[in-house]
């Protein structure tokens, strides 16, 4: 039974020459993601991502925010409800434009929560990367940049299912 998942894993877009590496990388990334945790100080992982997008100092349209996070309208609204209740974000409508447009901004309390969450997140990443040499960390930066650049090119602005 334990070999069945490997057969499934190997059948997804890989050829036999790199199937083992792809499976190993996927499992390692999944473990690393789990080890980073779900809570970063006062914020959950999704809340930290949302507040990070709001930290630009200019209001963000609710629809754009959901799209950038790969959330449905309902999911975006639920998360914003929670963040507003906590005092981390505030929604408003622009007075001179379409009143159907709802914008979101980070509050000072939200900025503080984001700073705390980022400190926890970066502390965990720093601790986990401690096993790598300086050369390995530099190589990892280059690899991740290349993967992120490639992913950005492959994703279309309307393709939220691949995020």
């Amino acid at each position: 039974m334990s070999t069945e998942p490997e057969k499934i894993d190997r059948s997804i877009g890989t050829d036999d020459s790199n199937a083992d590496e792809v499976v190993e990388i996927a499992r390692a990334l999944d473990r690393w993601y789990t080890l980073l945790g779900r809570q970063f100080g006062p914020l959950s992982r999704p809340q930290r991502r949302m507040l990070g997008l709001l930290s630009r100092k200019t209001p963000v349209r609710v629809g754009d925010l959901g799209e950038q996070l790969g959330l449905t309208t309902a999911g975006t609204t639920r998360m914003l409800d929670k963040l507003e209740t906590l005092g981390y974000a505030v929604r408003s409508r622009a007075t001179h434009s379409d009143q159907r447009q709802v914008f979101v901004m980070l509050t000072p309390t939200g900025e503080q929560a984001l700073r705390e969450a980022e400190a926890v997140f970066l502390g965990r990443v720093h601790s986990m990367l401690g096993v790598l040499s300086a050369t390995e960390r530099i190589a990892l930066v280059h690899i991740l940049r290349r993967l992120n650049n490639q992913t950005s090119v492959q994703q279309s602005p309307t393709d939220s299912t691949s995020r």
Side-chain angles (χ1 to χ4, degrees), residues 1-10 23 27:
M1 283 289 221
S2 66
T3 58
E4 282 304 308
E6 280 191 33
K7 287 181 184 176
I8 293 169
D9 290 339
R10 290 180 182 174
V23 169
R27 289 184 177 155

Side-chain angles (χ1 to χ4, degrees), residues 46-59:
Q47 290 171 337
R48 186 182 71 80
R49 289 183 62 220
M50 184 175 276
L51 291 188
L53 290 173
L54 294 175
S55 67
R56 298 183 191 142
K57 304 289 184 206
T58 58

Side-chain angles (χ1 to χ4, degrees), residues 106-158:
L106 194 61
T107 65
T109 304
E111 289 176 9
Q112 179 60 35
L114 181 58
R115 278 193 296 275
E116 291 174 30
E118 287 296 305
V120 171
F121 175 73
L122 292 174
R124 288 181 192 164
V125 171
H126 184 267
S127 175
M128 293 170 75
L129 293 176
V131 299
L132 301 179
S133 70
T135 303
E136 290 170 324
R137 286 191 306 272
I138 291 168
L140 182 57
V141 166
H142 291 292
I143 291 166
L144 291 173
R145 280 185 187 153
R146 185 169 178 197
L147 288 172
N148 284 333
N149 289 339
Q150 183 63 30
T151 302
S152 297
V153 169
Q154 289 177 348
Q155 285 182 343
S156 68
T158 59

Side-chain angles (χ1 to χ4, degrees), residues 16-160:
D16 288 334
S17 65
N18 67 1
D20 290 337
E21 289 129 3
V22 170
V23 169
E24 185 69 26
I25 290 167
R27 289 184 177 155
L29 287 171
D30 195 41
R31 282 191 304 272
W32 213 67
Y33 188 73
T34 300
L35 290 172
L36 280 173
R38 293 185 218 182
Q39 189 71 27
F40 303 99
L43 301 175
S44 68
R45 182 184 295 134
Q47 290 171 337
R48 186 182 71 80
R49 289 183 62 220
M50 184 175 276
L51 291 188
L53 290 173
L54 294 175
S55 67
R56 298 183 191 142
K57 304 289 184 206
T58 58
V60 179
R61 285 182 350 153
V62 171
D64 294 340
L65 187 61
E67 185 177 314
Q68 290 176 40
L69 293 169
L71 297 174
T72 64
T73 302
T76 303
T77 299
R78 278 192 301 274
M79 191 180 305
L80 284 173
D81 288 346
K82 176 73 172 175
L83 292 173
E84 268 193 317
T85 299
L86 294 168
Y88 296 160
V90 62
R91 285 178 269 206
S92 64
R93 297 180 192 280
T95 56
H96 302 296
S97 68
D98 185 347
Q99 287 295 298
R100 293 172 294 181
Q101 299 283 334
V102 178
F103 293 87
V104 187
M105 285 194 66
L106 194 61
T107 65
T109 304
E111 289 176 9
Q112 179 60 35
L114 181 58
R115 278 193 296 275
E116 291 174 30
E118 287 296 305
V120 171
F121 175 73
L122 292 174
R124 288 181 192 164
V125 171
H126 184 267
S127 175
M128 293 170 75
L129 293 176
V131 299
L132 301 179
S133 70
T135 303
E136 290 170 324
R137 286 191 306 272
I138 291 168
L140 182 57
V141 166
H142 291 292
I143 291 166
L144 291 173
R145 280 185 187 153
R146 185 169 178 197
L147 288 172
N148 284 333
N149 289 339
Q150 183 63 30
T151 302
S152 297
V153 169
Q154 289 177 348
Q155 285 182 343
S156 68
T158 59
D159 183 12
S160 62

